[in-house]
Amino acid sequence: MTPDRDDPEGAIAAAAKECSNWGRWGADDVLGTLNFLDAAKRREGAALVRRGVSFSLAQSFGMDGPQKGWRRRTNPVHTMLDTGTDAALGTQGFPHGFGGADDVIAMPLQCSTQWDGLGHIFDHGRAWNGRAAERVVTSDGDLVTGVEHMAARVAGRGVLLDVGRVIGGGGELPDGFAITEEHLTATAEAHGVRVGRGDIVTVRTGQLARVRRDGWGDYAGGPAPGLSFTTAGWLHRTEIAAIATDTWGFEVRPNEFAHAFQPLHQVAIPHIGLLIGEMWDLEELAEDCAADGVYDFWLTAAPLPVTGAVGSPVNPVAVK
Amino acid sequence: MTPDRDDPEGAIAAAAKECSNWGRWGADDVLGTLNFLDAAKRREGAALVRRGVSFSLAQSFGMDGPQKGWRRRTNPVHTMLDTGTDAALGTQGFPHGFGGADDVIAMPLQCSTQWDGLGHIFDHGRAWNGRAAERVVTSDGDLVTGVEHMAARVAGRGVLLDVGRVIGGGGELPDGFAITEEHLTATAEAHGVRVGRGDIVTVRTGQLARVRRDGWGDYAGGPAPGLSFTTAGWLHRTEIAAIATDTWGFEVRPNEFAHAFQPLHQVAIPHIGLLIGEMWDLEELAEDCAADGVYDFWLTAAPLPVTGAVGSPVNPVAVK
Amino acid sequence: MTPDRDDPEGAIAAAAKECSNWGRWGADDVLGTLNFLDAAKRREGAALVRRGVSFSLAQSFGMDGPQKGWRRRTNPVHTMLDTGTDAALGTQGFPHGFGGADDVIAMPLQCSTQWDGLGHIFDHGRAWNGRAAERVVTSDGDLVTGVEHMAARVAGRGVLLDVGRVIGGGGELPDGFAITEEHLTATAEAHGVRVGRGDIVTVRTGQLARVRRDGWGDYAGGPAPGLSFTTAGWLHRTEIAAIATDTWGFEVRPNEFAHAFQPLHQVAIPHIGLLIGEMWDLEELAEDCAADGVYDFWLTAAPLPVTGAVGSPVNPVAVK
Amino acid sequence: MTPDRDDPEGAIAAAAKECSNWGRWGADDVLGTLNFLDAAKRREGAALVRRGVSFSLAQSFGMDGPQKGWRRRTNPVHTMLDTGTDAALGTQGFPHGFGGADDVIAMPLQCSTQWDGLGHIFDHGRAWNGRAAERVVTSDGDLVTGVEHMAARVAGRGVLLDVGRVIGGGGELPDGFAITEEHLTATAEAHGVRVGRGDIVTVRTGQLARVRRDGWGDYAGGPAPGLSFTTAGWLHRTEIAAIATDTWGFEVRPNEFAHAFQPLHQVAIPHIGLLIGEMWDLEELAEDCAADGVYDFWLTAAPLPVTGAVGSPVNPVAVK
């Protein structure tokens, strides 16, 4: 069913009703779909380590990133507290020739490769599991579903759906391309890989390869390929634990309504309780998968347990 | 051989000479002992996932941490750019009932659970592999051995040496206790575990359990159990890839010289090229290892790839 | 009338009713008592410059300040983006021998010498002039009464009331000493100075001199001399433009109720609309005033116009 | 004499030799030309307060500023620690209806209206007064000439030279326009104002008015009107205490050499010891001066005394 372009609110409400996981894991749940990622899934994932090669799926964290300051999202500012130049000059005040360098960072938690926490998005003032947004995230942070609760959980079976390579021309989907359930299914079939309960799904659109070649442009917030709003049912039905893309915003942009802002987020995070990753770098992994034809792997993507955070920078590591 | 308490500089020079890995992996090396962690080791590590249970070895990142501001090392300051309270009031300017929360962090990269990068410590103006410190770490960060080079690497076989439980009384070593090679060997034997080339070794002293019970006190920089300076040879000879402790500073404090500051670091980082982890939380993992008697596991401890960083916050995840 | 120690809420309500300036300068006012500081007052102030000597009334902004992290108030963290050591090594990439140093700061706006803006304190959800707090200060800052509105205003006649010197022993009031209207009046009389409409009043307790001598201790938030809750009427009646002290919290601590937190603030800021300064360094100025017997002067205390800020660091400069 | 376009290094050396103030105020001097601003000058300045009207010469400090991240210079990031929305919801944990808002800022000290400190620029590794740059500014900041030393000093007679209005068309100089000594002299004559020893000179080019109208564009670092390199002699000979412009970089850009970067800074700061202000907002003041024909005034421009800073944000306040 195609949603009415002029009624995002109605479409969101319908999808939310259809896909809601509220109460599924009890009133106190703070994990959402991570509940699907269990010990059996971890055993299954670990068994996928065959060659022992590892891949970082993180973009760099630095001043050369894509952020433009919109909503105060800047690139990370990394500065030094002590340097080798100081150490070389011997003015650091340490004994026996000891020298040191230290550093500090100031960054939005959503500035580069990241997880969106469960407190990141609300629907009409409701957070994950039906909680009142104002009781969950205050100026003191996420008091209930902070990303620290996920610290030990995000390790399991990863799957790559290289939609850019299977569906796109030249390995890339164009900006504005809406990835539907059919595209996802066709890609999985082309890869010979199955997606199921507890999996961590990574979706490559190829946009990151394009901006690497052409410049960041509007990578942060502008037009992009991404998941169609209509995939909400698939995201819910497959019972995946998490999903991540190589784009800024996970879903297709411009969004598929006349006037809307990230409508799929509004269903996926507060209603499905889905862990969403953004700005992942899937390029090297995708090359390897294309080469050996194996699209599942062991994946650890441990968020930094910042107390009360609604998101987290992450360096996901895939091992095949 | 016991070093002369009054000659740290001589002892460091002797240990550096004995343990140097300079040039071992070529003049351009940026990985140090991580070179020991290869594909075979990853396959060996993955085979250790038997039950599928996972453990986060990270302390929390928040204002309630142990840092006191010494050398400008503060606790992380996490603030919100948008909150659920704002969303509940409907003033965020988004359409169709969408609401969001975002956050930002300012923190020293050495503030909580961390890796020391290869650019973190110098010996008489020399960084890892013999490079001039001033050519490696300037105000622009580590231009050569930045922690980003390790992004994909730190996943392999982990080993826990619970020295606190084996050697200490009540599961804890007292502050000032110097862990020697004999203690490490005895602990490994008691556990029935072997330590070898390419392993990521975690050493539990029990100090973190103590300060959790009694208050941080001088956890950040004060007296602590830790590795003896005399373990430099063992660190080198075993060809381990990395080592981490549950203490602020890895090595015993006060240091084992009349006037010294972290002399083992001065050998281990610039000369051995060893990746050192600090402030890890090994409590839950140690409980589990004591219960099932299995002290090795799959470990992913992926640093955040901050461009040019000399250290990195990390959320290590062990899976058994 | 002495307020009931067990009824701060009642006492605050009574004082608020008595002292309210709501509506006095129209519904759109964003300046509060700064409205009293007019051109005539500035002419009067400028005429006080007789010798041409100037005094900074700011404490330093650095890591050695008094903040302990309570409510995430840390000391400023100042780091370098470029240094002279780098410049000396010639690696900055500039032509013709040019070298540079740049720096960055991360700090709470309330960390050192400061003004409290009008959006800093609320009474039962009401901000200055009766506005709903949630319409004034959101995560985007103070949308109505941000400190930037005061940028051009805070320059006029300053008066020092050295209560520590006149009333205290050895020039200092003890911690917990409540300064009453009688103390303020007696001090002004002793100085031969008058306080009136539009003045910027500075009150020296001597606590800063004490902690400089003895260590910060609990300067930030602990027991301190300060204004009695009972001075609310005087603050209102005198029609002063602003007032500042050499203490962390302006009013006496512990507060004069069994269970309370900064009750005078709750009257002075949202109801009187009074600009309050804290952590000012009045020592050198007080020495000079004691020497020449002149207690009024030209004072410029221009807040940094941070858009939407509820407070501002400030370097007040007095000229006599 | 017109400098050789192809020899900035030679021109800088010649100007440095001609204009050097090294040693003029002793070997320990940390104030440079601020030494010219004495008590007599302050008395002269205060006498200029005739009407009592005050003007802020600061641009705003916020995310909508001109910085683009070059050399890690970002716009200020201002975030809230507590908000009115939280207070309205009554979840802050304070008694008797008390609510509060607090905030924090992270910013380069050179991000908006600012003073360049004496440690900001070096010539061939030499800082102000001939000191070795690496002994002055390390990662710990400016250990000798930190901006805190100027805290009490910058209050005196201000002069506006509205070169944009006198020389430019439509009140604005075009980008790339080099202001010469002749332009400065002609402007002062047109205004009927004199510039002399100890004055704080402000030079309006009109560029800020233009970018306000047309968008920031390349205000931060791009082409701009500004002082010609050839004014070095005038800056030295007039014995002014300080000078500030309404542009990002004080001197004309592109600079007047084939390949150069801020050559006038390289003479003015390390050799003359001149306090330079940038990004000042002179628009409102200039309107007033044009209206009443009075171009001198009382000016306080107190730097924030950040310990060891090489620059400082500032809110200059002029009173006429």
Side-chain angles (χ1 to χ4, degrees), chain C residues 256-274:
Chain C
E256 301 152 286
F257 296 91
H259 301 290
F261 185 73
Q262 301 294 75
L264 184 55
H265 275 71
Q266 197 172 334
V267 176
I269 294 179
H271 293 284
I272 304 182
L274 183 63

Side-chain angles (χ1 to χ4, degrees), chain C residues 182-197:
Chain C
E182 289 67 34
H183 296 130
L184 294 169
T185 306
T187 300
E189 280 178 17
H191 293 339
V193 75
R194 112 206 103 67
V195 168
R197 181 173 179 138

Side-chain angles (χ1 to χ4, degrees), chain A residues 218-292:
Chain A
D218 287 326
Y219 179 77
L227 267 70
S228 168
F229 179 79
T230 60
T231 59
W234 184 86
L235 294 172
H236 177 248
R237 195 177 342 111
T238 50
E239 299 185 339
I240 57 175
I243 187 166
T245 65
D246 59 348
T247 64
W248 171 85
F250 172 61
E251 53 189 296
V252 62
R253 290 181 62 83
N255 303 131
E256 301 152 286
F257 296 91
H259 302 289
F261 185 74
Q262 302 294 76
L264 183 55
H265 276 71
Q266 198 171 333
V267 177
I269 295 180
H271 293 285
I272 303 182
L274 183 63
L275 190 61
I276 294 178
E278 289 162 338
M279 300 179 64
W280 289 35
D281 180 355
L282 304 169
E283 292 309 297
E284 194 185 349
L285 176 65
E287 284 291 330
D288 187 87
C289 293
D292 76 354

Side-chain angles (χ1 to χ4, degrees), chain C residues 5 10 14 66 78 82-83 103 116 144 172 199 241-242 252 261 273 290 307-308:
Chain C
R5 264 189 70 75
H78 170 235
D82 297 289
T83 65
D103 35 15
D116 286 351
V144 180
E172 298 171 17
D199 285 334
V252 63
F261 185 73
T307 307

Side-chain angles (χ1 to χ4, degrees), chain B residues 1-106:
Chain B
M1 186 192 69
T2 305
D4 177 353
R5 264 188 70 75
D6 294 316
D7 185 20
E9 199 152 8
I12 290 164
K17 188 175 176 192
E18 178 196 334
C19 301
S20 173
N21 283 326
W22 287 5
R24 183 167 185 166
W25 297 286
D28 295 337
D29 182 68
V30 295
L31 295 174
T33 54
L34 271 183
N35 284 290
F36 292 131
L37 205 178
D38 58 12
K41 178 57 64 173
R42 284 199 193 91
R43 292 193 300 269
E44 180 188 345
L48 298 171
V49 176
R50 297 182 186 106
R51 291 153 52 209
V53 292
S54 59
F55 305 86
S56 166
L57 311 186
Q59 295 192 30
S60 62
F61 285 72
M63 280 301 288
D64 54 353
Q67 301 293 350
K68 297 175 164 183
W70 179 74
R71 295 189 78 78
R72 291 176 284 176
R73 285 195 191 167
T74 64
N75 288 316
V77 178
H78 171 234
T79 57
M80 303 306 296
L81 295 170
D82 297 289
T83 64
T85 48
D86 289 347
L89 286 160
T91 59
Q92 293 189 318
F94 292 117
H96 53 70
F98 181 99
D102 259 34
D103 34 16
V104 67
I105 201 164

